[in-house]
Amino acid sequence: MKTLIRTPGLILRILISVLLIVIFLTPFYWMILTAFKTLGEVLAMPPKFWVQSLQWQNFKDAFTRIDFLHYTRNSLIITLGTLIGQVLVVVPAAYAFARYDFKGKNWLFGTVLATMMIPGQLIFLPIFVMFAKSGLLNTYVSLIVPFIASGTAIFMLRQTFMQVPDSQLEAARLDNAGEFKIIYTIMMPAAIPTLSTLALLTFIGTWNSYFFPLVWTTTDAVRTLPLGIQRLQDIEGLSPQIVMAGNMMLIVPILIVFVVARKQIIKAFTYMGVK
Amino acid sequence: MSMWKKKVLPLMMTVPVTMGLAGCAQTDAEVFAAPYEKGEQTIELQFWTSAVEEVNQALVDQFNETKGAELNIHVNAEYQGDYWEMQQKVNAAAIAGTLPNVFVDEVAMTKGFADNDIIVNLEPYIKATDFDRSDFQIGDLGNLYVGEDLYAFPHMRSVPVMYVNKTLAAKAGLDANGPATFAELEAYLQAAHDATGEPPMYLFNYDFWVMEALLHSYSGTTVVNAEETESNINSAGAVKLITFIEELESKGLVKVLGVTDSDAFYAAIAKPSTALIFASIGGYKTFAGMAQQSGLELGVSMIPTGDDGKRGVPVGGSNTYLANTGSDQEKAAAFEFMKWLSDTEQAAYASANTGYLPTRLSSLDTDLMKETIAAFPGYQVASDQLEFSKMRPMTGAYHEIEDLMGGRINEIWLENLNIQESLDKLAEEVNVILNR
């Protein structure tokens, strides 16, 4: 009887899950499918949901029609630079907000939270002018520095640091551990799931970023891969199969990072949810 | 991203530039400009390019190897994205003081750039170098001028045309040149529909430029009034056009495609059952190649005429602009580059390698254009259609307006809204933008 009662609910859950999976995976499937089609197959009406033969040439074209390695290198430098910068700035900031009492703390923390609510599109122009006046346009600095002090990251990490028992910190201080030692030997290991999640979110956000690299660069020197892929559209004209092949290559690093970090991410959300 | 990119950003970028620079427009045609004099040192120029990057880069390479080397001018071309991304970047660069020397952008932006002092009046340079502008053949020259003064050179120019599926026309016993008038359009589409059982025409209304041609030709009206202070989109002529298309759609003779359906629109070009498409001549070579892949022959005809033989087509594409930056010598050097870029051979090269029209009469006499027209006769049709050309609206807010109108009119067709009421409301929204 218990099984019978549970079965309709279970079936509904499975159906909803399948539906969600289909909704989320269909764009990816379509991208992959298009990347392997000929132009004729892409333009065919009604649309074809399979390919006759895989067109690997599309990937070769996407790779050679733009300076793919140059754009990829720029994307890597900017993404890793932002990640490293965030570790150096966000971790101490979150630690201070979580563990110190100082004058203006709440006001400062409120300011940090407020930055999360300001759309980047409102501030890109003053920042663009600032970089232009200081000669930093078309440099890696202009695409890394504005994203180092992330309000979201400070907020999430502060919440995690606040969960660490006071007794652990007191014991460390009794052992004459300095603040940096406490951060790197107690706080950061305790926050690995949160750090992994933040790192992944930063990686995805920076790697995929289109708007800021578009408006803050006027030469190809530091332009990133999403801009290169967009450029394919102009170079190739009506060739969505080549653009999709480029897009597939664009998302490969994200998939790799996600697969590597997925356990930590699930742990982080579970941890935050429980607390 | 796309919402920001297409709608909010142009507005955001326009407002601060307008606020900061309004009132500074250069109106002094009598200002003296010295012709370029070759110096000891090479003048380095920045040239921002937009659509058809590879052709622009090839032209710049040619300049640097020939005329540039002779004059000690070196041009560095940098691609900046599509026309709207270029507009945003130019506006931002104007505020930051990092404008390039020359840039390419859409034709309808001349007045907006001039009003904000982003580009310079070319008259003094024309006078100083005895430049002959009479060879420009782009139909209506309005989008080069602000008042009486020339502020831009034509670069890649195009007009909307009617592409005809000649293979289907032969099969259905129809005229291979398509309908000559809008009065014949319905019967033509009906015959094509009877032959295939599928929609014989697709309309991608997001490209509002085509609607401008239909408003001129079918309705004898324009998007905005001559002073550009008021919208005409709810006028009797516009209502008649929107109603006409809605009727064709309801009979299954026209399929209206939404904003995100550009791929479906281009796919329709290569579809054996598609009889007619209204689109830019700029895509001619690409479209012809796609049709050929599907075993179809694609012809080019003029946009049909309306009552009393009315026909009007907007001249679109891009201009080159001389930016208000750099020393007098750099500006003179930049003008030399603009002159070279618009010259007979270069205009022919740009046209033959794209689908855009040659911007000079003399280009039509080059061997390259003669060969191109022989292989692709649609160039000649589009070129002849320039006789009916009209300038596009000049207001700096026009891109925002055409985005709005494209979306709203699509809603009327796709959601069967009341036409007059919807267009009245749309006109009010457009008027707010025009008078902002």
Side-chain angles (χ1 to χ4, degrees):
Chain A
M1 186 64 193
K2 197 176 175 184
T3 311
L4 281 176
I5 291 167
R6 286 180 58 185
T7 303
L10 189 64
I11 290 170
L12 189 66
R13 273 170 54 196
I14 291 171
L15 283 175
I16 291 171
S17 301
V18 169
L19 184 68
L20 287 174
I21 288 169
V22 169
I23 290 170
F24 280 107
L25 290 187
T26 300
F28 284 99
Y29 174 70
W30 199 250
M31 177 182 69
I32 295 165
L33 191 67
T34 306
F36 284 107
K37 282 181 172 178
T38 61
L39 179 60
E41 286 171 325
V42 172
L43 298 177
M45 283 287 194
K48 292 187 174 177
F49 289 85
W50 196 243
V51 288
Q52 294 293 333
S53 62
L54 300 177
Q55 300 297 311
W56 293 104
Q57 181 64 31
N58 294 340
F59 290 85
K60 193 178 168 193
D61 288 345
F63 193 83
T64 53
R65 294 305 300 271
I66 56 171
D67 193 345
F68 201 90
L69 291 178
H70 170 75
Y71 291 120
T72 307
R73 192 193 65 188
N74 286 344
S75 280
L76 278 172
I77 291 171
I78 290 161
T79 304
L80 294 177
T82 307
L83 278 170
I84 293 167
Q86 281 199 1
V87 170
L88 295 176
V89 171
V90 167
V91 173
Y95 178 68
F97 281 125
R99 291 295 175 178
Y100 278 88
D101 281 321
F102 53 91
K103 202 176 174 185
K105 176 184 163 182
N106 290 338
W107 183 85
L108 271 177
F109 188 62
T111 307
V112 169
L113 294 184
T115 63
M116 294 160 61
M117 295 157 205
I118 301 171
Q121 284 80 2
L122 282 182
I123 53 167
F124 86 91
L125 192 56
I127 296 176
F128 175 85
V129 173
M130 191 176 73
F131 282 135
K133 301 280 182 200
S134 51
L136 288 172
L137 273 189
N138 301 312
T139 64
Y140 293 120
V141 171
S142 67
L143 296 177
I144 293 173
V145 169
F147 306 103
I148 285 178
S150 159
T152 312
I154 291 172
F155 171 71
M156 284 179 69
L157 211 50
R158 170 191 176 262
Q159 301 306 103
T160 308
F161 285 166
M162 285 172 76
Q163 309 300 326
V164 178
D166 289 342
S167 55
Q168 261 185 281
L169 270 69
E170 282 160 15
R173 286 188 181 119
L174 283 174
D175 287 343
N176 289 326
E179 293 305 300
F180 280 105
K181 194 171 181 186
I182 289 172
I183 289 174
Y184 292 111
T185 57
I186 297 174
M187 290 301 190
M188 288 182 69
I192 281 176
T194 307
L195 286 169
S196 305
T197 308
L198 288 172
L200 183 79
L201 293 176
T202 300
F203 187 92
I204 293 172
T206 312
W207 186 265
N208 281 340
S209 178
Y210 180 82
F211 176 74
F212 291 106
L214 172 75
V215 293
W216 284 344
T217 59
T218 57
T219 72
D220 243 7
V222 296
R223 282 184 181 150
T224 53
L225 196 51
L227 296 188
I229 302 298
Q230 173 66 23
R231 200 167 186 173
L232 269 175
Q233 280 191 321
D234 182 69
I235 294 170
E236 291 296 332
L238 192 65
S239 297
Q241 76 281 14
I242 296 172
V243 176
M244 286 303 165
N247 276 323
M248 270 192 71
M249 292 193 276
L250 174 70
I251 65 162
V252 165
I254 292 173
L255 292 177
I256 292 171
V257 172
F258 177 74
V259 168
V260 170
R262 74 181 192 283
K263 280 184 184 169
Q264 295 294 342
I265 293 161
I266 292 165
K267 208 186 278 181
F269 281 108
T270 311
Y271 179 74
M272 283 186 281
V274 169
K275 296 288 174 179
Chain B
M1 176 61 210
S2 101
M3 187 66 156
W4 274 104
K5 198 169 108 179
K6 290 187 181 298
K7 299 194 175 191
V8 182
L9 257 175
L11 172 63
M12 284 168 49
M13 295 302 300
T14 305
V15 171
V17 172
T18 308
M19 286 170 67
L21 301 168
C24 303
Q26 194 185 28
T27 54
D28 43 357
E30 56 289 334
V31 167
F32 174 76
Y36 175 74
E37 281 186 25
K38 181 181 171 183
E40 289 293 310
Q41 287 193 322
T42 301
I43 300 280
E44 291 287 340
L45 298 178
Q46 297 299 318
F47 174 43
W48 282 5
T49 69
S50 187
V52 288
E53 177 197 2
E54 286 193 322
V55 174
N56 282 317
Q57 184 61 57
L59 285 167
V60 167
D61 291 342
Q62 281 179 39
F63 176 82
N64 287 336
E65 286 162 17
T66 57
K67 189 79 174 176
E70 183 192 311
L71 296 176
N72 257 2
I73 300 170
H74 184 263
V75 176
N76 304 288
E78 292 288 355
Y79 176 75
Q80 302 299 333
D82 64 27
Y83 292 148
W84 321 121
E85 290 166 349
M86 175 69 90
Q87 185 190 25
Q88 293 154 25
K89 288 189 159 192
V90 165
N91 285 340
I95 293 170
T98 55
L99 278 170
N101 302 91
V102 181
F103 62 92
V104 168
D105 212 342
E106 212 266 340
V107 300
M109 296 175 184
T110 310
K111 188 168 183 300
F113 287 142
D115 284 349
N116 288 312
D117 209 20
I118 288 171
I119 57 175
V120 299
N121 187 337
L122 298 180
E123 294 293 344
Y125 296 92
I126 288 169
K127 200 171 171 184
T129 58
D130 289 328
F131 178 77
D132 178 12
R133 75 187 86 179
S134 63
D135 195 32
F136 285 149
Q137 80 111 34
I138 54 164
D140 193 291
L141 297 168
N143 286 110
L144 299 179
Y145 283 84
V146 177
E148 299 294 313
D149 296 342
L150 191 81
Y151 271 77
F153 277 2
H155 188 45
M156 306 274 183
R157 287 309 188 102
S158 55
V159 286
V161 291
M162 179 169 67
Y163 289 98
V164 184
N165 180 346
K166 288 187 164 187
T167 310
L168 175 60
K171 192 176 149 193
L174 292 164
D175 187 342
N177 292 317
T181 68
F182 279 103
E184 297 168 18
L185 180 66
E186 183 173 344
Y188 192 95
L189 293 175
Q190 188 63 60
H193 183 266
D194 292 345
T196 66
E198 291 188 52
M201 183 171 162
Y202 289 79
L203 191 63
F204 180 48
N205 182 47
Y206 193 63
D207 188 359
F208 203 77
W209 186 54
V210 168
M211 280 298 291
E212 288 174 29
L214 301 188
L215 284 167
H216 282 303
S217 303
Y218 183 84
S219 312
T221 188
T222 51
V223 177
V224 293
N225 66 356
E227 298 76 30
E228 301 195 347
T229 53
E230 209 169 309
S231 168
N232 285 334
I233 203 65
N234 60 342
S235 63
V239 172
K240 199 174 142 198
L241 171 66
I242 305 300
T243 308
F244 174 60
I245 293 173
E246 189 189 46
E247 284 169 4
L248 292 177
E249 205 213 2
S250 65
K251 291 173 185 169
L253 301 179
V254 168
K255 188 165 173 56
V256 175
L257 297 169
V259 175
T260 55
D261 293 334
S262 61
D263 281 352
F265 177 71
Y266 294 120
I269 292 167
K271 219 175 150 185
S273 59
T274 304
L276 304 173
I277 287 274
F278 294 146
S280 169
I281 191 66
Y284 181 28
K285 288 181 108 173
T286 307
F287 298 162
M290 285 163 50
Q292 198 179 19
Q293 275 196 13
S294 300
L296 306 174
E297 189 187 353
L298 198 65
V300 174
S301 293
M302 292 190 197
I303 295 288
T305 55
D307 299 340
D308 308 324
K310 285 190 304 279
R311 179 186 281 127
V313 287
V315 188
S318 62
N319 289 336
T320 52
Y321 300 98
L322 178 57
N324 189 10
T325 188
S327 65
D328 289 345
Q329 194 190 19
E330 283 170 346
K331 282 181 187 158
F335 185 70
E336 286 300 317
F337 170 63
M338 284 174 67
K339 272 174 28 186
W340 180 90
L341 194 62
S342 70
D343 218 340
T344 306
E345 295 296 330
Q346 288 69 257
Y349 178 89
S351 175
N353 285 281
T354 54
Y356 287 91
L357 296 176
T359 51
R360 281 181 175 271
L361 274 173
S362 52
S363 298
L364 294 170
D365 296 327
T366 60
D367 290 342
L368 179 60
M369 278 317 296
K370 282 178 183 168
E371 287 163 18
T372 304
I373 291 171
F376 295 92
Y379 274 99
Q380 190 62 54
V381 175
S383 196
D384 293 344
Q385 198 182 231
L386 288 174
E387 181 190 343
F388 306 99
S389 64
K390 308 277 185 189
M391 68 180 277
R392 302 197 73 199
M394 291 284 276
T395 167
Y398 190 62
H399 181 52
E400 187 187 350
I401 291 171
E402 59 181 337
D403 259 1
L404 174 73
M405 289 192 295
R408 290 280 196 277
I409 292 173
N410 258 21
E411 283 168 16
I412 293 172
W413 288 325
L414 298 174
E415 297 170 26
N416 294 318
L417 304 179
N418 180 289
I419 293 174
Q420 185 69 61
E421 273 177 24
S422 305
L423 291 180
D424 285 345
K425 198 176 158 204
L426 175 59
E428 280 175 28
E429 290 180 77
V430 172
N431 290 342
V432 168
I433 298 172
L434 284 171
N435 296 296
R436 192 165 52 206

